[in-house]
Amino acid sequence: MSESKNTPTEGVIAEIAAERRRQVEDLDWTPEHDDDEHAEGELAFAAANYAAASGAMTRLGATEWATTPPYLNWPWAEDCFKPGSPRRSLVKAAALIVAEIERIDRATPDEEFRRMWEQDRREANEKAAALSKAEAR
């Protein structure tokens, strides 16, 4: 087996991880902050805005975004929207998506609880289906 080399994808993923680290370390957007302050989809909306700005800049041939946040319910003050280049905007969007996925994961019950809940739900659905069949007869 040959020695492993970084693929372009691995480089981009490392860049996204570095941006997420920057958000936590430099901006203090810690997991606790995200959990306490952004539990209503704000991180996802912010990511969508950065991705939309990137697409708009690419379509227009622009190298930077010159106006307010795009269209998708920007969750914070307008001066917090700092997209940079189309590529930089996508890196920021991806890091915000990572933050939102992590927030969702932290808000999800542990695996054992989830398995028990899913089993209870399946049993309840089976009982409801059996009752419906019995009533239909």
Side-chain angles (χ1 to χ4, degrees), residues 25-137:
E25 293 170 2
D26 296 351
L27 304 174
D28 206 27
W29 296 347
T30 62
E32 296 78 19
H33 169 84
D34 293 347
D35 294 347
D36 293 344
E37 301 294 325
H38 306 306
E40 296 182 357
E42 294 94 338
L43 299 169
F45 279 118
N49 275 273
Y50 279 111
S54 174
M57 286 186 279
T58 299
R59 177 173 280 173
L60 297 171
T63 57
E64 60 184 43
W65 188 258
T67 62
T68 58
Y71 342 89
L72 306 168
N73 297 318
W74 177 250
W76 304 302
E78 285 185 10
D79 64 343
C80 293
F81 184 69
K82 300 172 185 170
S85 71
R87 187 181 186 286
R88 180 75 181 125
S89 295
L90 289 174
V91 170
K92 287 182 178 185
L96 285 162
I97 290 169
V98 168
E100 177 67 359
I101 292 168
E102 290 172 340
R103 188 200 63 73
I104 289 168
D105 288 349
R106 286 189 302 275
T108 302
D110 70 13
E111 191 59 35
E112 180 61 26
F113 178 83
R114 190 176 324 147
R115 274 196 304 275
M116 290 173 18
W117 180 81
E118 288 172 356
Q119 178 64 32
D120 288 347
R121 189 182 60 176
R122 276 193 298 278
E123 290 172 4
N125 287 339
E126 289 168 4
K127 287 178 184 177
L131 282 173
S132 291
K133 259 187 191 177
E135 289 174 355
R137 290 182 191 170

